[in-house]
Amino acid sequence: MAQLRGLTLRSQTDGSCAAGFALRFGMSEPKFIRLPLRDFVTDEELQRRAVEFHDEMRRRRTVRSFSSRPVPREVIEDCIRTAGTAPSGANMQPWQFVAIADAALKRAIRVGAEKEEREFYAHRAPAEWLEALAALGTDSHKPFLEAAPWLIAIFSQPYRVLPDGRRMKHYYATESVGIAVGLLVTALHHAGLATLTHTPSPMGFLNAMLRRPPHEKPFLLLVVGHPAEAATVPNIQRKTLAEISSLFL
């Protein structure tokens, strides 16, 4: 038995604790289904899959030069479906993906983004930030926003508006959307496409252009397409496993 603010909680082994908590506070009782069957995988197969997946993902690079080669709408939709499988706080799924192929709208987004970027590079960005960006060769010119066949604007939803006008807060919205975007980038790379994460600051102009409600917050613009034939990338290195991880055995 455990005490939580005067409420006695029972063992959670059969879900009775969660059910009792829900009933006590007038919430819906949780419902559970069996985990879908998964194939038994040997340790050797686990290792093989892990190595193969890392080998695929280590070839992922952010590019800024895109081909005009079209990308089928269905590919974009399937990759967004994958992003939608991401875990989220209380399963609120606080994200909205807006995919744009319309040339006029991409042009308008570029104009809006470059306006903010000119201000950023000239006035907003501290010297330390500009120094960090120097190695990537970026500036306020963003032709890729028109050249790439697709842009995907991702919005975070800090809360939802219920039919009666009340607000329901979405917990861990930023973290949840970040995970979903990671899955989206991975899915697009796996499909054979290149991406660029672009974050003009501020990005509020996207709400009006893309007809999104004011409570949604632009998270980033994802530029999607095939890399240009002569595309180049910065000669930079990723951190080693020892630099990004710790093991307690």
Side-chain angles (χ1 to χ4, degrees), residues 227-247:
E229 186 175 346
T232 60
V233 294
N235 185 16
I236 54 179
Q237 303 299 320
R238 294 187 173 102
K239 292 181 178 179
T240 66
L241 177 63
E243 292 174 301
I244 66 171
S245 67
S246 302
L247 298 178

Side-chain angles (χ1 to χ4, degrees), residues 8 28 54 92 101 143 165 214:
T8 300
S28 300
H54 170 255
M92 292 297 183

Side-chain angles (χ1 to χ4, degrees), residues 39-50:
D39 294 334
F40 175 80
V41 180
T42 65
D43 289 352
E44 291 76 13
E45 178 65 10
L46 291 174
Q47 182 66 51
R48 185 189 66 79
R49 292 184 184 185

Side-chain angles (χ1 to χ4, degrees), residues 9-80:
L9 304 182
R10 294 175 291 175
S11 168
Q12 298 186 34
T13 55
D14 62 354
S16 59
C17 169
F21 190 90
L23 292 174
R24 170 74 179 271
F25 288 94
M27 296 179 286
S28 300
E29 183 176 347
K31 296 178 175 61
F32 295 90
I33 61 174
R34 289 292 301 271
L35 178 71
L37 291 176
R38 298 162 65 96
D39 294 334
F40 175 80
V41 180
T42 65
D43 289 352
E44 291 76 13
E45 178 65 10
L46 291 174
Q47 182 66 51
R48 185 189 66 79
R49 292 184 184 185
V51 169
E52 287 185 354
F53 188 69
H54 170 255
D55 189 55
E56 177 183 356
M57 293 310 300
R58 70 180 178 83
R59 294 193 295 272
R60 188 206 62 79
R61 292 299 304 267
T62 294
V63 303
R64 289 176 171 80
S65 298
F66 287 84
S67 164
S68 60
R69 176 184 167 187
V71 173
R73 167 183 171 176
E74 293 78 10
V75 173
I76 301 300
E77 289 178 332
D78 282 335
C79 290
I80 291 176

